[in-house]
Amino acid sequence: MSKYVIETKQLTKNYGEQTAVNAVNIHVEKGRIYGLLGRNGAGKTTIMKMILGLTPVTSGEVDVFGQNIKGREKRVYPRIGAIIETPGFYPNLTGTENLEIFAKLRGTAAPNAVKNALGIVGLPYRDKKLFSKYSLGMKQRLGIANAILHDPELLILDEPTNGLDPIGIAEVRGFIKALSTERGKTILISSHILSEIALLADDIGIIDHGVLLEENSMEVLEEKNSKYILLQVSDIPKTSLVLERQFGVTDYSVQDDHFLRIYNTSLDMAAVNKALVVQDVAVISSQLCNDTLEDYFKKITGGEGIA
Amino acid sequence: MQFYKWTAFSYTPWVILPVVLGVVSTMLMYDEHQNDMLKQLWIIPVSRAGYFFSKFTIVLFYSICFMLLTAAASVFFGTLPGYITVEWGSIVYLLRKCVEIAILTAFSVLPLLTVAASGKSYIFPVCVTLVYTFLGFILLMVNMYLHPLSSMTAIVMRDIPGVVLTQKLNIPAAFICIAIWCTGSALFAVSSLGKRK
């Protein structure tokens, strides 16, 4: 039995000549939140559709709960809750009525399933407001309620915070986190908003132009973000000499005529400043810097950035 | 009987009911397409065939209701001004024929449900409905066993007193025609729904 709830092997999707997803290997572990991060049109939704069997795979494999979903839909789908793109419901029914239809179609046994699901996402039960009158945020919440209605083990959420206001985003983030930590749900979530994924995900996959550029845990990614001391001086050659001869520092890089980065952050900067002044080098500024995840993503996606 | 021929058995089964059912079929399919609900249904999972036949069941139910209403209205507006006198025998006959028309027409317009199921547009299925209905009406005079609606008419008209058909009546051929079109439509619909995400 695979330790992954979702595993893709060389997953590829072509639309005619165009490759939307190119040899993607995703590994979603049980009980963890996997954030699929990428710009609009990067291929996130296509990957999710292929995982759910909603779009045929051009080549490669998708395993969900250790088995190929094709031909096993009746056994696998009840274990999955999903929102793909915008949640669709009958516009002339209320949120409760819509969920009751989906509960019946799913054969959801729990008597309070609809009420509980609506409660979790903060929507009123038995409200008379029709779905067509819902705001985008309310529609999104109802979509999430529908996804969690049957208490699935795996949630696949495609940009679930789209259209929500900042407070709504924080609330949704809170209950998605709680679903994972308190109820042990495995969650695959996609977003083009870096900060969302950074705050939510345990593991992260960065996708750009259909290619999975990186897949790692958040801890590892955070470790990768380099810390350094940014030094602004009047004379770079003299500063380099001082650093190398007096302090034995070789782990530094010159940015331009006045800036250099020292990657050894434990260096005694007071002593460095003093030595530079003695050598007649003016120290204009010195500060401890930390590259953000955004900088890192810009770097690996070729400078275009995600957030 | 002559009165019922003018009301329930005249243009209702040939033109009005098929057009109404074609529009109903389009509306039934359009709602879920327009609101992007299909992918939600597929991952429940609802089978494509189950989805299609549930829609057909609604069309069938609607068709029966429509024809029963037509029968009731015929009797009511016939007796009220005194055109006809109430005879239980003829009323039972009217109801039986109306249910027969309703069921056969619902099956005969299954291709229209397929057209509605295989596209996202609203206009195209409605246009096809009009063409399909009038083609059935025209083919009635050429060959009754090519088009489901003309085959349906052949079956329905077989025992209506005073109706003279220009072609030789072949009821099995009429049923075979409807069955072939229905089977082909259902297979095509399920296949095209499989491609709809």
Side-chain angles (χ1 to χ4, degrees):
Chain A
M1 183 78 181
S2 170
K3 68 170 181 169
Y4 302 115
V5 172
I6 300 173
E7 187 178 12
T8 69
K9 294 165 193 162
Q10 298 294 309
L11 190 64
T12 301
K13 177 72 187 176
N14 294 336
Y15 291 106
E17 295 290 301
Q18 197 186 353
T19 303
V21 175
N22 192 359
V24 166
N25 297 308
I26 281 176
H27 304 88
V28 182
E29 286 181 45
K30 188 172 167 49
R32 290 176 73 86
I33 302 177
Y34 187 105
L36 198 56
L37 181 66
R39 292 149 57 86
N40 293 325
K44 306 182 294 292
T45 303
T46 309
I47 290 174
M48 288 181 155
K49 281 184 172 178
M50 284 194 284
I51 290 170
L52 285 166
L54 290 173
T55 289
V57 172
T58 305
S59 66
E61 279 179 42
V62 183
D63 286 345
V64 181
F65 298 113
Q67 54 193 339
N68 194 322
I69 211 165
K70 200 166 175 65
R72 299 184 178 88
E73 290 91 345
K74 283 197 173 173
R75 267 183 288 160
V76 176
Y77 280 149
R79 300 169 71 185
I80 305 174
I83 311 180
I84 300 293
E85 294 164 328
T86 49
F89 292 98
Y90 293 106
N92 51 344
L93 299 180
T94 66
T96 307
E97 286 165 347
N98 268 298
L99 287 198
E100 279 171 349
I101 287 175
F102 278 94
K104 272 184 195 164
L105 287 170
R106 285 200 175 99
T108 307
N112 286 328
V114 171
K115 194 175 182 182
N116 290 344
L118 286 170
I120 289 172
V121 298
L123 283 177
Y125 180 63
R126 293 259 169 246
D127 187 27
K128 288 188 176 160
K129 195 171 188 175
L130 298 178
F131 179 74
S132 57
K133 305 286 178 197
Y134 273 23
S135 67
L136 189 59
M138 288 173 83
K139 287 178 179 174
Q140 206 69 21
R141 282 165 190 261
L142 192 67
I144 298 170
N146 184 33
I148 59 174
L149 185 65
H150 53 301
D151 196 24
E153 296 162 57
L154 168 66
L155 282 169
I156 297 178
L157 307 173
D158 184 17
E159 312 222 9
T161 53
N162 256 4
L164 294 174
D165 54 68
I167 295 168
I169 290 173
E171 282 174 9
V172 168
R173 190 195 306 137
F175 72 69
I176 289 174
K177 198 85 183 166
L179 283 169
S180 172
T181 54
E182 292 167 19
R183 300 199 196 180
K185 310 281 183 206
T186 307
I187 300 170
L188 170 63
I189 186 169
S190 75
S191 182
H192 61 275
I193 303 167
L194 169 61
S195 55
E196 275 309 305
I197 294 291
L199 287 169
L200 202 56
D202 301 316
D203 300 305
I204 195 163
I206 302 162
I207 187 159
D208 193 42
H209 294 99
V211 178
L212 190 71
L213 298 173
E214 173 131 15
E215 185 185 53
N216 242 317
S217 69
M218 273 308 287
E219 299 89 59
V220 173
L221 283 178
E222 277 164 2
E223 276 171 22
K224 280 190 178 180
N225 300 323
S226 51
K227 277 185 179 175
Y228 57 89
I229 296 160
L230 184 67
L231 207 57
Q232 188 183 6
V233 290
S234 59
D235 191 329
I236 289 288
K238 272 188 184 175
T239 307
S240 301
L241 277 173
V242 169
L243 287 172
E244 285 176 26
R245 290 187 182 169
Q246 292 188 28
F247 297 92
V249 175
T250 51
D251 188 16
Y252 70 90
S253 65
V254 176
Q255 302 296 297
D256 55 30
D257 290 348
H258 296 287
F259 285 94
L260 63 76
R261 288 181 180 187
I262 303 166
Y263 295 103
N264 178 5
T265 52
S266 58
L267 198 64
D268 181 358
M269 283 312 292
V272 172
N273 284 349
K274 196 173 171 185
L276 288 172
V277 170
V278 168
Q279 292 296 322
D280 205 20
V281 177
V283 178
I284 300 155
S285 71
S286 130
Q287 62 185 103
L288 181 66
C289 297
N290 194 356
D291 257 356
T292 61
L293 273 175
E294 191 178 331
D295 297 327
Y296 178 70
F297 293 137
K298 274 183 185 168
K299 198 162 67 187
I300 71 160
T301 55
E304 289 176 322
I306 291 171
Chain B
M1 189 56 62
Q2 187 62 37
F3 179 78
Y4 296 142
K5 272 198 268 181
W6 290 339
T7 55
F9 306 148
S10 180
Y11 286 96
T12 306
W14 295 339
V15 180
I16 300 169
L17 184 60
V19 170
V20 168
L21 293 185
V23 173
V24 168
S25 300
T26 306
M27 285 166 69
L28 284 173
M29 288 295 181
Y30 184 70
D31 213 20
E32 272 125 9
H33 287 174
Q34 191 198 22
N35 296 304
D36 205 13
M37 289 185 69
L38 288 181
K39 57 181 180 287
Q40 303 247 75
L41 294 173
W42 300 156
I43 59 170
I44 283 177
V46 171
S47 74
R48 271 70 166 171
Y51 172 77
F52 181 74
F53 287 112
S54 72
K55 297 291 180 188
F56 171 71
T57 308
I58 297 171
V59 173
L60 181 64
F61 179 74
Y62 188 90
S63 181
I64 292 170
C65 289
F66 185 94
M67 284 312 292
L68 288 179
L69 206 66
T70 303
S74 298
V75 173
F76 183 74
F77 289 106
T79 49
L80 201 67
Y83 291 141
I84 55 168
T85 51
V86 177
E87 291 171 32
W88 288 112
S90 62
I91 288 176
V92 169
Y93 176 78
L94 173 71
L95 289 174
R96 183 174 70 76
K97 289 308 283 182
C98 280
V99 171
E100 192 180 305
I101 290 168
I103 294 170
L104 286 171
T105 310
F107 277 98
S108 300
V109 297
L110 204 66
L112 299 178
L113 195 64
T114 299
V115 172
S118 52
K120 273 187 178 175
S121 149
Y122 191 92
I123 311 256
F124 182 67
V126 171
C127 293
V128 171
T129 297
L130 296 174
V131 171
Y132 181 83
T133 304
F134 286 101
L135 198 65
F137 192 62
I138 293 162
L139 284 175
L140 191 63
M141 294 158 227
V142 182
N143 187 333
M144 294 174 92
Y145 311 108
L146 288 177
H147 194 289
L149 283 176
S150 27
S151 294
M152 179 273 296
T153 310
I155 298 167
V156 168
M157 296 298 168
R158 74 187 186 281
D159 60 349
I160 295 180
V163 174
V164 180
L165 295 168
T166 52
Q167 292 166 53
K168 194 183 170 202
L169 204 59
N170 187 343
I171 301 299
F175 274 113
I176 289 169
C177 169
I178 294 174
I180 289 171
W181 276 84
C182 285
T183 310
S185 301
L187 291 174
F188 186 78
V190 172
S191 154
S192 59
L193 278 171
K195 291 172 194 161
R196 302 283 325 262
K197 308 300 171 194

Short mmCIF file of all heavy atoms in Angstrom, two decimals, chain A residues 223-252:
data_model
loop_
_atom_site.label_atom_id
_atom_site.label_comp_id
_atom_site.label_asym_id
_atom_site.label_seq_id
_atom_site.Cartn_x
_atom_site.Cartn_y
_atom_site.Cartn_z
N GLU A 223 13.85 26.69 4.76
CA GLU A 223 15.30 26.61 5.02
C GLU A 223 16.11 27.09 3.83
O GLU A 223 17.20 27.62 3.98
CB GLU A 223 15.68 25.15 5.31
CG GLU A 223 15.45 24.75 6.75
CD GLU A 223 15.63 23.25 6.95
OE1 GLU A 223 16.31 22.62 6.13
OE2 GLU A 223 15.07 22.74 7.93
N LYS A 224 15.53 26.87 2.66
CA LYS A 224 16.24 27.26 1.44
C LYS A 224 16.35 28.77 1.27
O LYS A 224 17.17 29.26 0.51
CB LYS A 224 15.53 26.69 0.21
CG LYS A 224 15.85 25.25 -0.06
CD LYS A 224 15.31 24.88 -1.40
CE LYS A 224 15.66 23.44 -1.74
NZ LYS A 224 15.15 23.05 -3.04
N ASN A 225 15.48 29.48 1.96
CA ASN A 225 15.50 30.94 1.80
C ASN A 225 16.70 31.51 2.53
O ASN A 225 16.79 31.43 3.74
CB ASN A 225 14.22 31.55 2.35
CG ASN A 225 13.03 31.00 1.62
OD1 ASN A 225 13.11 30.77 0.43
ND2 ASN A 225 11.99 30.71 2.36
N SER A 226 17.60 32.07 1.78
CA SER A 226 18.90 32.46 2.36
C SER A 226 18.79 33.73 3.20
O SER A 226 18.05 34.65 2.89
CB SER A 226 19.88 32.66 1.23
OG SER A 226 19.31 33.52 0.27
N LYS A 227 19.57 33.69 4.29
CA LYS A 227 19.73 34.86 5.14
C LYS A 227 21.10 35.45 4.82
O LYS A 227 22.05 34.71 4.55
CB LYS A 227 19.72 34.46 6.61
CG LYS A 227 18.33 34.31 7.20
CD LYS A 227 18.46 34.02 8.68
CE LYS A 227 17.08 33.89 9.31
NZ LYS A 227 17.17 33.50 10.71
N TYR A 228 21.24 36.75 4.87
CA TYR A 228 22.55 37.38 4.59
C TYR A 228 22.60 38.78 5.20
O TYR A 228 21.56 39.34 5.57
CB TYR A 228 22.82 37.44 3.09
CG TYR A 228 21.77 38.16 2.30
CD1 TYR A 228 21.84 39.54 2.08
CD2 TYR A 228 20.68 37.47 1.76
CE1 TYR A 228 20.86 40.19 1.37
CE2 TYR A 228 19.70 38.12 1.05
CZ TYR A 228 19.80 39.49 0.85
OH TYR A 228 18.82 40.14 0.15
N ILE A 229 23.84 39.29 5.28
CA ILE A 229 24.02 40.67 5.74
C ILE A 229 24.31 41.52 4.51
O ILE A 229 25.23 41.20 3.74
CB ILE A 229 25.18 40.77 6.75
CG1 ILE A 229 24.83 39.96 8.01
CG2 ILE A 229 25.48 42.22 7.10
CD1 ILE A 229 26.03 39.60 8.85
N LEU A 230 23.49 42.55 4.32
CA LEU A 230 23.70 43.42 3.16
C LEU A 230 24.51 44.63 3.63
O LEU A 230 24.08 45.38 4.51
CB LEU A 230 22.35 43.87 2.59
CG LEU A 230 22.41 44.71 1.32
CD1 LEU A 230 22.95 43.90 0.14
CD2 LEU A 230 21.04 45.27 0.96
N LEU A 231 25.65 44.77 3.03
CA LEU A 231 26.59 45.83 3.45
C LEU A 231 26.71 46.87 2.33
O LEU A 231 26.97 46.52 1.18
CB LEU A 231 27.95 45.17 3.70
CG LEU A 231 28.90 45.82 4.69
CD1 LEU A 231 28.28 45.98 6.06
CD2 LEU A 231 30.17 44.97 4.79
N GLN A 232 26.51 48.14 2.72
CA GLN A 232 26.70 49.21 1.72
C GLN A 232 27.94 50.00 2.12
O GLN A 232 27.99 50.57 3.21
CB GLN A 232 25.47 50.13 1.69
CG GLN A 232 25.52 51.13 0.55
CD GLN A 232 24.34 52.08 0.56
OE1 GLN A 232 23.52 52.07 1.48
NE2 GLN A 232 24.25 52.91 -0.47
N VAL A 233 28.92 49.96 1.26
CA VAL A 233 30.23 50.58 1.60
C VAL A 233 30.69 51.48 0.47
O VAL A 233 30.19 51.42 -0.65
CB VAL A 233 31.29 49.48 1.87
CG1 VAL A 233 31.02 48.73 3.15
CG2 VAL A 233 31.39 48.52 0.69
N SER A 234 31.74 52.29 0.78
CA SER A 234 32.23 53.23 -0.24
C SER A 234 33.24 52.57 -1.18
O SER A 234 33.41 52.99 -2.31
CB SER A 234 32.88 54.44 0.44
OG SER A 234 33.94 53.99 1.26
N ASP A 235 33.88 51.50 -0.68
CA ASP A 235 34.95 50.90 -1.49
C ASP A 235 34.87 49.37 -1.41
O ASP A 235 35.23 48.76 -0.40
CB ASP A 235 36.31 51.38 -0.95
CG ASP A 235 37.44 51.03 -1.88
OD1 ASP A 235 37.33 49.98 -2.57
OD2 ASP A 235 38.43 51.77 -1.93
N ILE A 236 34.41 48.75 -2.48
CA ILE A 236 34.20 47.30 -2.48
C ILE A 236 35.53 46.51 -2.44
O ILE A 236 35.66 45.58 -1.64
CB ILE A 236 33.33 46.89 -3.69
CG1 ILE A 236 31.88 47.37 -3.50
CG2 ILE A 236 33.37 45.37 -3.92
CD1 ILE A 236 31.05 46.64 -2.48
N PRO A 237 36.54 46.86 -3.26
CA PRO A 237 37.80 46.07 -3.23
C PRO A 237 38.44 46.04 -1.85
O PRO A 237 38.85 44.99 -1.37
CB PRO A 237 38.69 46.77 -4.24
CG PRO A 237 37.74 47.46 -5.16
CD PRO A 237 36.59 47.88 -4.32
N LYS A 238 38.47 47.21 -1.19
CA LYS A 238 39.08 47.27 0.14
C LYS A 238 38.27 46.43 1.13
O LYS A 238 38.83 45.73 1.97
CB LYS A 238 39.13 48.72 0.63
CG LYS A 238 40.38 49.47 0.21
CD LYS A 238 40.38 50.81 0.93
CE LYS A 238 41.58 51.64 0.47
NZ LYS A 238 41.54 52.98 1.07
N THR A 239 36.94 46.50 1.01
CA THR A 239 36.06 45.73 1.91
C THR A 239 36.32 44.23 1.73
O THR A 239 36.40 43.48 2.70
CB THR A 239 34.58 46.07 1.61
OG1 THR A 239 34.43 47.47 1.66
CG2 THR A 239 33.66 45.41 2.61
N SER A 240 36.46 43.80 0.48
CA SER A 240 36.72 42.38 0.21
C SER A 240 38.02 41.93 0.87
O SER A 240 38.08 40.85 1.47
CB SER A 240 36.83 42.15 -1.30
OG SER A 240 35.65 42.55 -1.92
N LEU A 241 39.04 42.80 0.76
CA LEU A 241 40.34 42.47 1.37
C LEU A 241 40.22 42.32 2.88
O LEU A 241 40.73 41.36 3.47
CB LEU A 241 41.36 43.58 1.06
CG LEU A 241 42.07 43.49 -0.30
CD1 LEU A 241 42.91 44.72 -0.56
CD2 LEU A 241 42.95 42.24 -0.35
N VAL A 242 39.49 43.26 3.49
CA VAL A 242 39.31 43.22 4.95
C VAL A 242 38.58 41.93 5.35
O VAL A 242 38.99 41.23 6.29
CB VAL A 242 38.53 44.47 5.43
CG1 VAL A 242 38.08 44.32 6.88
CG2 VAL A 242 39.38 45.72 5.27
N LEU A 243 37.51 41.63 4.64
CA LEU A 243 36.71 40.45 4.98
C LEU A 243 37.53 39.16 4.86
O LEU A 243 37.49 38.30 5.74
CB LEU A 243 35.47 40.35 4.07
CG LEU A 243 34.35 41.35 4.34
CD1 LEU A 243 33.29 41.27 3.25
CD2 LEU A 243 33.70 41.09 5.70
N GLU A 244 38.29 39.08 3.79
CA GLU A 244 39.03 37.83 3.55
C GLU A 244 40.25 37.71 4.46
O GLU A 244 40.49 36.65 5.04
CB GLU A 244 39.48 37.78 2.08
CG GLU A 244 38.32 37.45 1.15
CD GLU A 244 38.70 37.49 -0.31
OE1 GLU A 244 39.88 37.30 -0.64
OE2 GLU A 244 37.80 37.73 -1.14
N ARG A 245 41.01 38.81 4.60
CA ARG A 245 42.27 38.71 5.35
C ARG A 245 42.05 38.77 6.86
O ARG A 245 42.69 38.05 7.61
CB ARG A 245 43.23 39.81 4.90
CG ARG A 245 43.71 39.53 3.49
CD ARG A 245 44.79 40.49 3.08
NE ARG A 245 45.21 40.23 1.71
CZ ARG A 245 45.98 41.01 1.01
NH1 ARG A 245 46.44 42.13 1.54
NH2 ARG A 245 46.32 40.69 -0.21
N GLN A 246 41.18 39.68 7.30
CA GLN A 246 41.04 39.85 8.74
C GLN A 246 39.99 38.91 9.36
O GLN A 246 40.09 38.54 10.51
CB GLN A 246 40.67 41.30 9.05
CG GLN A 246 41.82 42.25 8.74
CD GLN A 246 41.51 43.67 9.23
OE1 GLN A 246 40.77 43.86 10.18
NE2 GLN A 246 42.11 44.65 8.58
N PHE A 247 38.99 38.57 8.58
CA PHE A 247 37.92 37.75 9.16
C PHE A 247 37.78 36.38 8.51
O PHE A 247 36.96 35.56 8.94
CB PHE A 247 36.57 38.50 9.06
CG PHE A 247 36.56 39.79 9.85
CD1 PHE A 247 36.90 41.00 9.25
CD2 PHE A 247 36.23 39.79 11.20
CE1 PHE A 247 36.92 42.17 9.97
CE2 PHE A 247 36.23 40.98 11.92
CZ PHE A 247 36.58 42.18 11.31
N GLY A 248 38.55 36.14 7.50
CA GLY A 248 38.53 34.84 6.83
C GLY A 248 37.21 34.54 6.14
O GLY A 248 36.83 33.37 5.96
N VAL A 249 36.49 35.58 5.73
CA VAL A 249 35.18 35.38 5.10
C VAL A 249 35.36 35.24 3.58
O VAL A 249 35.96 36.10 2.94
CB VAL A 249 34.24 36.57 5.40
CG1 VAL A 249 32.93 36.44 4.64
CG2 VAL A 249 33.97 36.67 6.89
N THR A 250 34.91 34.14 3.07
CA THR A 250 34.94 33.97 1.61
C THR A 250 33.52 33.83 1.04
O THR A 250 33.31 33.95 -0.16
CB THR A 250 35.74 32.70 1.23
OG1 THR A 250 35.21 31.61 1.98
CG2 THR A 250 37.23 32.86 1.50
N ASP A 251 32.59 33.54 1.96
CA ASP A 251 31.20 33.30 1.54
C ASP A 251 30.45 34.63 1.42
O ASP A 251 29.63 34.99 2.26
CB ASP A 251 30.53 32.39 2.58
CG ASP A 251 29.16 31.92 2.12
OD1 ASP A 251 28.88 32.05 0.92
OD2 ASP A 251 28.40 31.43 2.97
N TYR A 252 30.79 35.40 0.40
CA TYR A 252 30.10 36.68 0.17
C TYR A 252 29.99 36.92 -1.33
O TYR A 252 30.67 36.27 -2.13
CB TYR A 252 30.85 37.82 0.86
CG TYR A 252 32.18 38.17 0.23
CD1 TYR A 252 32.27 39.12 -0.78
CD2 TYR A 252 33.35 37.53 0.64
CE1 TYR A 252 33.50 39.42 -1.36
CE2 TYR A 252 34.56 37.82 0.07
CZ TYR A 252 34.62 38.77 -0.94
OH TYR A 252 35.83 39.07 -1.53
#
